[in-house]
Amino acid sequence: MEHIERESMEFDVVIVGAGPAGLSAAIKIRQLAIENNLPDLSVCVVEKGSEVGAHILSGAVLEPRAIN
């Protein structure tokens, strides 16, 4: 088996999912880092969808009255 070299990046915090909870967590962590004089704290948000929030409604059961 050949040796495979992979690229890697290091982060202080990794959040999985760019939905409302993931994005708000990332924002709050950065705010706290700045307040506590840690401006170099790195936060990474990983999303499997093609764009932020792509899976918010996927497979969900919705009450259509609000949309109508």
Side-chain angles (χ1 to χ4, degrees):
M1 184 183 218
E2 291 183 39
H3 174 72
I4 298 173
E5 188 173 323
R6 298 179 189 257
E7 185 177 331
S8 66
M9 298 175 70
E10 292 189 14
F11 297 97
D12 297 311
V13 178
V14 176
I15 297 172
V16 178
L23 293 176
S24 64
I27 291 168
K28 186 62 177 179
I29 290 169
R30 284 295 300 147
Q31 288 172 338
L32 290 171
I34 291 168
E35 287 175 12
N36 291 292
N37 201 23
L38 297 169
D40 294 333
L41 185 98
S42 60
V43 178
C44 174
V45 179
V46 179
E47 170 60 49
K48 70 177 178 179
S50 59
E51 58 190 30
V52 171
H55 293 282
I56 290 177
L57 297 177
S58 67
V61 177
L62 301 174
E63 172 59 50
R65 285 185 289 179
I67 296 172
N68 292 333

